[in-house]
């Protein structure tokens, strides 16, 4: 699976890579190999920070600041912590990224895991449904999940 993804990224046009990079405020790589790959894309090097996935400390001191403080505080306060990314996108009434299922999951698990948390990075692209996004954003507090859920725009 990883090699299939890697080959798809390698075959993307430079224009698509630059476009994806320009849409990001920050890129987080889990190692120098990935960071070097980002560096080969125009405009990405200065946005790239290295934060190892499992082995602290960061490879460079300045990389510690790549994650905003509010996200760090949320992550430190929750266990288990689920990380996800996706858009409020419906296809024939089905949430393609599973935001709705993740809400159900956290709602069901919080009795057994009172510190469970979700950090969800919202993607923004053509096809998003603003009315569905509003429904999801309203549903979090309606279910009492606001202390368990952090959306990152």
């Amino acid at each position: 699976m990883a090699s299939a993804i890697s080959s798809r990224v390698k075959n993307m046009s430079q224009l698509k890579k630059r476009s994806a990079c320009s849409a990001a405020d920050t890129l987080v790589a889990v190692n120098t190999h990935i960071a070097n790959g980002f560096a080969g894309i125009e405009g990405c090097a200065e946005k790239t920070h290295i934060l190892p996935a499992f082995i602290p400390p960061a490879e460079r001191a300045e990389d510690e600041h790549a994650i905003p403080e509010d996200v760090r505080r949320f992550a430190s306060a929750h266990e288990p912590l689920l990380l996800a990314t996706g858009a409020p996108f419906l296809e024939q009434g089905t949430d393609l990224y599973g935001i709705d299922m993740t809400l159900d999951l956290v709602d069901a698990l919080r009795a057994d895991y009172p510190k469970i948390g979700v950090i969800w990075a919202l993607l923004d692209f053509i096809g998003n449904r603003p009315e569905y996004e509003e429904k999801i954003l309203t549903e979090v507090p309606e279910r009492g999940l606001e202390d368990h859920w952090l959306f990152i725009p």
Side-chain angles (χ1 to χ4, degrees):
M1 177 72 169
S3 64
I5 293 170
S6 177
S7 91
R8 285 180 66 189
V9 170
K10 285 180 186 175
N11 293 330
M12 285 175 62
S13 73
Q14 280 300 106
L15 180 60
K16 286 181 182 177
K17 291 176 187 178
R18 280 195 311 268
S19 177
C21 181
S22 69
D25 292 329
T26 300
L27 298 168
V28 178
V30 297
N31 59 43
T32 53
H33 176 75
I34 293 171
N36 290 339
F38 286 150
I41 302 167
E42 182 182 327
C44 286
E46 60 277 1
K47 294 181 178 184
T48 301
H49 300 276
I50 302 168
L51 291 174
F54 305 106
I55 305 169
E59 293 183 24
R60 301 179 311 202
E62 65 269 18
D63 293 332
E64 286 294 325
H65 304 291
I67 298 175
E69 187 57 37
D70 62 326
V71 175
R72 284 179 178 280
R73 277 193 308 273
F74 186 91
S76 295
H78 294 86
E79 187 180 327
L81 180 64
L82 308 175
L83 305 174
T85 187
F89 189 88
L90 293 174
E91 179 69 35
Q92 298 178 349
T94 300
D95 180 335
L96 293 184
Y97 288 93
I99 300 172
D100 57 345
M101 290 188 291
T102 307
L103 277 167
D104 292 341
L105 176 70
V106 172
D107 204 2
L109 290 177
R110 70 178 159 161
D112 294 325
Y113 300 93
K115 295 174 93 180
I116 192 169
V118 175
I119 297 176
W120 193 291
L122 284 170
L123 297 177
D124 183 24
F125 62 89
I126 295 171
N128 282 7
R129 302 287 191 263
E131 64 281 356
Y132 183 60
E133 181 174 356
E134 185 58 39
K135 177 188 179 297
I136 292 294
L137 293 174
T138 303
E139 194 169 337
V140 170
E142 283 176 356
R143 291 188 181 205
L145 294 173
E146 61 271 19
D147 292 337
H148 300 274
W149 201 284
L150 178 65
F151 280 114
I152 302 173

